[in-house]
Amino acid sequence: MKNEGIEGSERFLSPDKGRGLRAVRHFAVGELVFACPAYSYVLTVNERGAHCEHCFTRREDLSKCGKCKLAHYCNVDCQRSDWPMHKLECVAMVAYGDNWCPSETVRLVARIIMKQRVTTERDPSERLLLLKEFESHLDKMDSEKDEMNQADIAALHHFYSRHISKIPDDQALTELFAQVNCNGFTIEDEELSHLGSAVFPDVALMNHSCSPNVIVTYKGTVAEVRAVQEINPGDEVFNSYIDLLYPTEDRRERLLDSYFFSCQCTECTTKSKDNEKMEIRKLSSLPEPEEIRSMVRYAKNVIEEFRRAKHYKTPSELLEMCELSQEKMGSIFADTNVYMLHMMYQSMGVCLYMQDWDGAMSYGEKIVHPYSVHYPAYSLNVASMYLKLGRLYLGLEKKTHGVKALKKALAIMEVAHGKDHHYVAEVKREIEEQK
C-alpha cells in the first residue's frame, strides 16, 4: 500500500527491513516531520492527580471524577471526552478497591478493544499504517513471553469482563497483546519520567537505527517526530527503539529480545563508539580480556538484579546496592564506562527519591559529560540530565551553575521538542526568573 497521507513522507518497502517511512522532501534539523495523535492511550496510575487523564496536561488544580475519586481532569470538557474510555475502569475501580491492579498494557488493550468496536473509519493516527497491520512476531516468542501474554489475557478477563461485552477470543487477544508489546510507546515528560502508554500507528511505521535521524517527543497525547539530522528526499526516516547508551552487543541483544531482529545499522556494523563506552580504568597493568568479560557479566547481572530489587528493597538498601556495584566495577571500569554510568544514574534516582539533593547533584555531575559523549546529538537523555542538574543547582542556590545547565538543556529541547513546546516555555521561564 503506497499512501502519501503524511505530507513530506511516504510509506515504502525498505530493503531487508520490510515496510518503512521515506522522506519525499528535505527536512532540516529541528523541523517537524509529522505529528500523530494516539490511536489509544492511558495515563499511568502513579501520575493520577498530577496530570489530566484525558489530555495529560500537568497542573495543580485538577478536578476529581465524582464516582471513582481517582481520575482527575482539567475541566468538564476533558472529563466528558474521556468518559467513553474511563467508564471501563470507573465502576471497576470502586468495586475492586485496592485489588484493582491490571497492568498498564492490559488497560491499554482494553481501550483499544473498545475503540475498535466504535470505529468504522480509518483513524487520524493511521494515515500510513493501520493498527491491525502491526507485526505481532508470535512465531518468534519464547515460552516466557507467551506466559506473560497469557497472564495479561487472564487479567483482561478478570478486570474487564463485566464492562466489555463479547471480549475477543484468546487467539485474537494473544495477537493483539503481542502487537501492542512490539509497537507500543511510553509517553514521557521533559525529565523522561513515565506518564503513560499509547499506540501511534504511523510512528510505529518507522524502522530502527542506532544512529536515528528523527526523535519522537510528546505534546500531551500527540507524538511529534522531528529531524535530528539533515534528511534529504529519498532518505529513510529512522527512529530509535531503545536506549542508545550501551555498546553494540547489548543493543543488539535488546533489539533481538524485544523486537525480534538483528540490527545492521552503520553504528552496529562499525561499532565506532564501543571503545569509549567500554572505557577501562587506567591501571599499572591492563586487565586480562577474561577479567573484562567477567566484569561485563557481573554488570549485566547487577543491572537486572537492581531492576527487580526496586520492587521490594528500601531506598537505603538500593543505594547501598548501587554503591557496592560501582565499587566492584570501578576496579576495572573507568567512571565513564556505560555500566558505571548506569548504576550512577540509578544512584541519582534513589537520592532524588530520598531528597538527598547534594548526593543527587554529585552523581549528576559525574554523569552529564560522558552522556553527551556517548549519546547521539540532540539526545533527550542528555537534555533531561542537564535539566535535572540545573533544577538541583537552583534548589541548592547555585544560580550560575543552574542557569548554565538549563541553557544546555534548552539548546537540545528546542530541536527535539520544537521551540513552541510548553516544556521549552517552562525552561525559558525558569531561566528568566534567575535574572
Side-chain angles (χ1 to χ4, degrees):
M1 177 184 95
K2 183 178 177 182
N3 187 330
E4 295 183 359
I6 295 178
E7 187 181 350
S9 58
E10 64 180 2
R11 176 171 166 167
F12 82 119
L13 197 60
S14 177
D16 304 319
K17 295 184 180 71
R19 60 199 176 209
L21 188 69
R22 176 170 61 192
V24 296
R25 72 165 177 86
H26 174 264
F27 290 95
V29 171
E31 190 173 353
L32 182 70
V33 178
F34 70 96
C36 178
Y39 178 93
S40 195
Y41 60 90
V42 61
L43 182 74
T44 194
V45 171
N46 291 339
E47 291 299 328
R48 282 192 161 146
H51 290 78
C52 173
E53 200 93 9
H54 176 64
C55 68
F56 280 31
T57 295
R58 178 172 61 201
R59 52 192 286 182
E60 293 179 1
D61 58 342
L62 297 169
S63 302
K64 285 182 184 178
C65 167
K67 287 190 174 75
C68 68
K69 308 284 195 279
L70 293 170
H72 289 69
Y73 297 97
C74 296
N75 49 44
V76 173
D77 290 338
C78 278
Q79 186 168 5
R80 281 180 182 152
S81 298
D82 195 52
W83 179 243
M85 292 301 158
H86 178 56
K87 69 181 179 183
L88 284 172
E89 300 181 343
C90 189
V91 178
M93 286 192 292
V94 174
Y96 281 101
D98 291 341
N99 294 319
W100 189 84
C101 56
S103 71
E104 203 157 296
T105 303
V106 170
R107 295 175 64 210
L108 180 59
V109 167
R111 289 172 179 234
I112 290 170
I113 291 168
M114 286 304 292
K115 176 149 183 176
Q116 288 175 330
R117 292 266 171 91
V118 299
T119 305
T120 54
E121 296 180 353
R122 197 182 196 108
D123 191 73
S125 63
E126 301 176 301
R127 287 172 292 176
L128 295 180
L129 183 70
L130 296 169
L131 187 145
K132 67 182 181 184
E133 293 182 276
F134 281 178
E135 293 282 358
S136 64
H137 299 291
L138 282 174
D139 57 323
K140 299 169 187 166
M141 282 171 55
D142 58 23
S143 58
E144 184 182 353
K145 284 190 173 61
D146 187 53
E147 284 174 19
M148 289 169 66
N149 237 356
Q150 295 310 311
D152 280 341
I153 290 170
L156 183 79
H157 281 287
H158 179 73
F159 291 107
Y160 292 94
S161 57
R162 295 181 196 170
H163 312 286
I164 302 177
S165 60
K166 296 179 182 175
I167 289 177
D169 62 36
D170 282 6
Q171 186 179 347
L173 286 176
T174 298
E175 181 165 18
L176 182 54
F177 271 107
Q179 287 173 318
V180 169
N181 284 328
C182 279
N183 297 277
F185 289 81
T186 57
I187 297 178
E188 296 169 325
D189 69 9
E190 77 277 29
E191 290 192 2
L192 300 187
S193 294
H194 179 81
L195 298 183
S197 297
V199 281
F200 301 96
D202 288 338
V203 183
L205 177 61
M206 292 185 290
N207 286 312
H208 166 86
S209 170
C210 297
S211 181
N213 52 14
V214 298
I215 200 161
V216 181
T217 55
Y218 303 96
K219 190 177 280 183
T221 61
V222 174
E224 295 191 329
V225 178
R226 281 189 167 74
V228 290
Q229 297 180 27
E230 293 281 330
I231 302 175
N232 292 309
D235 287 352
E236 182 163 2
V237 180
F238 288 111
N239 180 30
S240 170
Y241 295 177
I242 57 169
D243 188 336
L244 296 172
L245 179 65
Y246 305 95
T248 302
E249 182 188 344
D250 281 35
R251 296 196 310 273
R252 280 182 159 169
E253 281 178 10
R254 168 86 189 278
L255 289 164
L256 193 59
D257 180 61
S258 299
Y259 301 100
F260 308 101
F261 71 91
S262 178
C263 188
Q264 301 298 326
C265 74
T266 306
E267 194 59 50
C268 282
T269 51
T270 62
K271 303 183 179 181
S272 62
K273 291 188 174 182
D274 280 9
N275 286 339
E276 275 184 315
K277 290 183 175 187
M278 290 301 299
E279 187 77 32
I280 303 301
R281 188 169 295 284
K282 289 178 173 59
L283 303 165
S284 53
S285 60
L286 280 174
E288 294 294 322
E290 180 49 41
E291 287 183 274
I292 297 172
R293 284 193 292 270
S294 175
M295 192 59 77
V296 169
R297 286 193 295 271
Y298 166 78
K300 289 181 178 180
N301 287 337
V302 83
I303 286 169
E304 178 57 26
E305 190 184 332
F306 183 84
R307 186 185 67 79
R308 291 195 299 266
K310 284 196 282 190
H311 298 292
Y312 61 87
K313 283 187 182 287
T314 66
S316 297
E317 289 171 333
L318 290 172
L319 191 57
E320 184 182 16
M321 189 176 174
C322 289
E323 288 167 348
L324 289 171
S325 67
Q326 288 169 64
E327 187 178 334
K328 180 166 181 173
M329 290 191 291
S331 64
I332 289 181
F333 296 157
D335 284 354
T336 57
N337 184 292
V338 295
Y339 295 119
M340 291 287 282
L341 293 171
H342 180 102
M343 295 314 293
M344 287 180 196
Y345 183 79
Q346 301 304 326
S347 299
M348 184 181 181
V350 177
C351 286
L352 287 170
Y353 181 81
M354 295 170 71
Q355 299 187 1
D356 175 6
W357 310 128
D358 287 300
M361 180 188 71
S362 176
Y363 279 114
E365 288 173 337
K366 292 176 184 175
I367 294 167
V368 72
H369 178 67
Y371 261 29
S372 60
V373 172
H374 296 326
Y375 278 109
Y378 309 111
S379 163
L380 295 175
N381 299 79
V382 179
S384 71
M385 186 52 62
Y386 275 121
L387 198 54
K388 288 175 184 174
L389 206 45
R391 288 168 172 171
L392 277 168
Y393 282 139
L394 294 181
L396 294 167
E397 299 184 353
K398 296 176 182 287
K399 179 177 168 181
T400 306
H401 285 75
V403 170
K404 186 177 178 182
L406 290 182
K407 284 182 176 178
K408 288 192 174 183
L410 187 63
I412 297 170
M413 291 172 69
E414 285 185 331
V415 171
H417 290 84
K419 293 184 178 180
D420 64 342
H421 199 288
H422 55 273
Y423 289 155
V424 168
E426 280 178 26
V427 177
K428 282 183 175 177
R429 191 161 53 248
E430 288 173 68
I431 293 170
E432 194 65 30
E433 286 170 358
Q434 300 308 311
K435 290 183 179 177

